[in-house]
Amino acid sequence: MVAQNLTLLTDLYELTMMQGYYKSGENESVIFDVFYRSNPSGSGYAIACGLEQVIDYIKNLSFSYDDIDYLRGLGIFDEDFLEYLAGYHFTGDIYAIPEGTVVFPKEPLLKVIAPIMEAQLVETAILNIINHQSLIATKASRVCYAANGDGVMEFGLRRAQGPDAGTLGARAAVIGGCVGTSNVLAGQLFDVPVLGTHAHSWIMSFKDEYTAFKTYAKMYPDACTLLVDTYDTLNSGVPNAIRVFKEMREEGIHSKSYGIRLDSGDLAYISKKARKMLDDAGFEDAVIAASSDLDEYLINSLKTQGATISSWGVGTNLITSADCPAFGGVYKLAALKPADTDEFIPKIKISENPIKITNPGNKTVYRIYDKETGKIKADLICLVGETYNEEEDLLIFDPVYTWKKSIIKGGTYTIREIIEPVFIKGQCVYESPTTMEIRNYCQKELDTLWDETRRLVNPKEVYVDLSKPLFDLRNELLDAKK
């Protein structure tokens, strides 16, 4: 993807705070965490997504002459601060959980360690990128789970909230499990499969439905999926499609992929009737695809009803995550290092709402797997530097309901750190995989979830616990505020 300079993609208060820090001489190193508080769409997990675009953003972070002139024109920034911005570049560290990883509430998806002026500036854009793509990747994974192995195509570009949301959303949807997208620009930028058939207008532009089908089949014999619901699905559309398929067979044309698409009506009833008609005509391998305002719940319902659909085109409800339009990720200060010391001082945000109380300090995340099944048992948020021996018993406990405890016997689990370095001292040390490589990784990640966590309704929660040192630090800071 061609990198964009998104330096001014920020909230004004980030820049006014930066000027305040600059004028007061305060530019201590800080640690900010990106995390979210609850899973979207009632899910039992989320999918981390958007890191590649964050990397592009950081690499291209600089104020152009036009940017400085625009800020000068606002009349609120002094010339010495504008001179500082003219030479700005990111010099800090960024750590993140790789794209395609299953993640859970409260754990840091991304961590920025940098002088406070630099860390403050990048807040808005990082949240914008991570929140959007993580939301769509999560929604796509749920839709694909409901499809239960059938191919899901992302078809939502025309309903997305703008070109960027449609294109980057298509990328996220493929990472979440979609087999391809209708978005040709996304196909070009991210090297993902592009898919599609034809519209009702194609049928209506010909003298009759049969002629429209026959013309399309001649042009695209290897991928011939015919939209059969323009006029009368069962009495006209399907019979005309069968007629064309018979003619193709008689001419010795063997399509790599062929079938029909349904875009309206009672999809369960019509698909079963259409399946019988196709089978009776000798086209048992013809695909029945469906679209029409689908989401994970409707797909699950249709499959429960015995619908004979094996390919799903999902648009509006996927690309907009219609039932949950925002991911809710936040960017919170976790530690500060004064100029006269080499150590970070942990910081905590306190709220009357317990879910908004933050976890302090420089943290990382360990993921604990059941050794026999490879499934996730829990995540453990720890302070950087903590180590664990897989041969020793491990005590984990709920950080709120501390009486909820579990001892994982040594030798029965494996553990790995899931946060990786991305930028060190302003230099990128991470190489992003391709979108399709991330998709493959994401499928393996989803396989580490128990079925109970993946179910669409009332999923089982994955435990995200605090290590004992982090738990004690958090309580110490809470007690100090009383």
Side-chain angles (χ1 to χ4, degrees):
M1 184 174 183
V2 177
Q4 293 177 283
N5 188 319
L6 302 177
T7 304
L8 290 188
L9 185 68
T10 190
D11 293 304
L12 179 62
Y13 82 164
E14 309 288 14
L15 290 165
T16 57
M17 284 190 288
M18 285 180 72
Q19 179 167 250
Y21 296 136
Y22 179 83
K23 290 292 189 179
S24 64
E26 300 289 334
N27 199 23
E28 300 98 335
S29 291
V30 293
I31 300 174
F32 276 93
D33 294 333
V34 174
F35 63 92
Y36 69 101
R37 297 188 178 105
S38 60
N39 291 314
S41 299
S43 180
Y45 64 93
I47 302 293
C49 198
L51 180 58
E52 181 178 330
Q53 283 65 50
V54 169
I55 292 171
D56 289 341
Y57 161 69
I58 296 294
K59 284 181 175 179
N60 291 278
L61 197 57
S62 63
F63 290 84
S64 69
Y65 291 121
D66 288 342
D67 294 339
I68 298 299
D69 285 344
Y70 169 74
L71 294 175
R72 181 180 291 115
L74 295 178
I76 57 177
F77 298 110
D78 294 341
E79 282 300 318
D80 57 346
F81 176 62
L82 293 174
E83 289 178 11
Y84 162 77
L85 292 183
Y88 176 93
H89 62 280
F90 185 79
T91 66
D93 304 339
I94 294 179
Y95 295 80
I97 294 176
E99 291 189 88
T101 304
V102 294
V103 290
F104 308 103
K106 301 290 282 186
E107 54 194 28
L109 309 186
L110 184 145
K111 177 172 67 175
V112 175
I113 306 176
I116 194 165
M117 283 195 286
E118 297 179 28
Q120 201 77 72
L121 175 65
V122 301
E123 172 182 2
T124 303
I126 286 176
L127 286 176
N128 176 275
I129 294 166
I130 296 294
N131 277 337
H132 173 245
Q133 290 199 53
S134 297
L135 178 71
I136 303 305
T138 305
K139 185 67 172 179
S141 73
R142 289 171 55 80
V143 172
C144 293
Y145 178 74
N148 194 29
D150 296 341
V152 176
M153 301 164 282
E154 185 280 308
F155 278 1
L157 178 58
R158 62 190 60 190
R159 302 285 177 79
Q161 285 95 343
D164 285 347
T167 301
L168 292 171
R171 175 185 187 269
V174 170
I175 286 172
C178 290
V179 296
T181 176
S182 66
N183 186 333
V184 180
L185 179 59
Q188 179 194 38
L189 293 176
F190 309 119
D191 194 23
V192 299
V194 288
L195 305 164
T197 54
H198 54 78
H200 293 109
S201 58
W202 170 268
I203 310 297
M204 296 163 67
S205 67
F206 287 84
K207 65 178 184 179
D208 56 49
E209 189 175 53
Y210 164 72
T211 304
F213 286 172
K214 187 173 181 64
T215 304
Y216 189 85
K218 283 186 176 181
M219 290 192 300
Y220 306 108
D222 281 341
C224 183
T225 301
L226 304 175
L227 181 59
V228 295
D229 71 332
T230 304
Y231 302 121
D232 187 326
T233 304
L234 296 178
N235 293 314
S236 172
V238 177
N240 278 325
I242 290 173
R243 179 181 174 186
V244 170
F245 297 153
K246 285 181 176 178
E247 291 172 355
M248 292 173 68
R249 185 167 57 188
E250 289 168 359
E251 294 173 15
I253 299 171
H254 301 286
S255 298
K256 294 179 182 177
S257 173
Y258 76 103
I260 62 172
R261 177 162 72 95
L262 308 174
D263 191 49
S264 60
D266 185 331
L267 296 179
Y269 173 81
I270 293 173
S271 69
K272 286 184 276 189
K273 291 291 186 179
R275 180 77 272 161
K276 186 176 188 310
M277 294 167 69
L278 288 164
D279 290 351
D280 288 348
F283 299 108
E284 294 88 352
D285 58 342
V287 170
I288 298 180
S291 43
S292 186
D293 290 327
L294 299 170
D295 64 11
E296 64 268 43
Y297 301 106
L298 181 52
I299 291 173
N300 181 68
S301 175
L302 288 168
K303 293 186 77 70
T304 301
Q305 296 171 61
T308 59
I309 299 160
S310 59
S311 181
W312 307 85
V314 187
T316 305
N317 291 315
L318 169 53
I319 203 65
T320 66
S321 186
D323 64 331
C324 180
F327 189 70
V330 295
Y331 187 89
K332 297 298 181 183
L333 182 69
L336 181 148
K337 184 167 68 175
D340 58 353
T341 179
D342 290 331
E343 294 187 4
F344 279 100
I345 297 173
K347 296 288 183 177
I348 189 170
K349 177 188 178 297
I350 298 177
S351 171
E352 292 184 0
N353 185 347
I355 197 172
K356 291 192 173 183
I357 298 174
T358 60
N359 291 318
N362 188 8
K363 301 176 292 296
T364 189
V365 181
Y366 283 102
R367 179 152 293 168
I368 305 163
Y369 300 90
D370 179 76
K371 194 170 186 178
E372 181 179 353
T373 64
K375 303 292 187 183
I376 297 173
K377 292 187 71 69
D379 274 5
L380 195 61
I381 307 176
C382 309
L383 295 172
V384 167
E386 291 186 47
T387 58
Y388 294 88
N389 185 343
E390 295 173 354
E391 298 305 315
E392 296 179 353
D393 291 354
L394 178 62
L395 172 66
I396 58 174
F397 59 91
D398 189 293
V400 178
Y401 307 103
T402 55
W403 52 270
K404 293 184 177 181
K405 300 178 181 179
S406 178
I407 295 177
I408 306 175
K409 291 294 184 180
T412 68
Y413 68 93
T414 60
I415 190 168
R416 74 177 180 101
E417 189 174 8
I418 61 173
I419 292 183
E420 299 183 12
V422 179
F423 283 86
I424 300 296
K425 296 182 179 179
Q427 299 300 310
C428 185
V429 296
Y430 181 88
E431 184 175 348
S432 291
T434 68
T435 300
M436 296 305 289
E437 287 172 340
I438 299 171
R439 180 188 186 276
N440 292 337
Y441 167 73
C442 184
Q443 298 311 298
K444 294 177 182 177
E445 277 287 292
L446 289 165
D447 285 342
T448 66
L449 294 172
W450 302 89
D451 290 339
E452 292 83 352
T453 297
R454 294 206 67 186
R455 66 189 174 214
L456 300 178
V457 179
N458 194 27
K460 180 176 173 57
E461 177 185 1
V462 172
Y463 299 119
V464 178
D465 297 330
L466 305 185
S467 69
K468 185 64 163 59
L470 177 55
F471 177 79
D472 290 344
L473 173 63
R474 187 173 188 263
N475 284 340
E476 178 185 331
L477 294 179
L478 288 173
D479 289 341
K481 298 294 183 180
K482 293 180 180 179

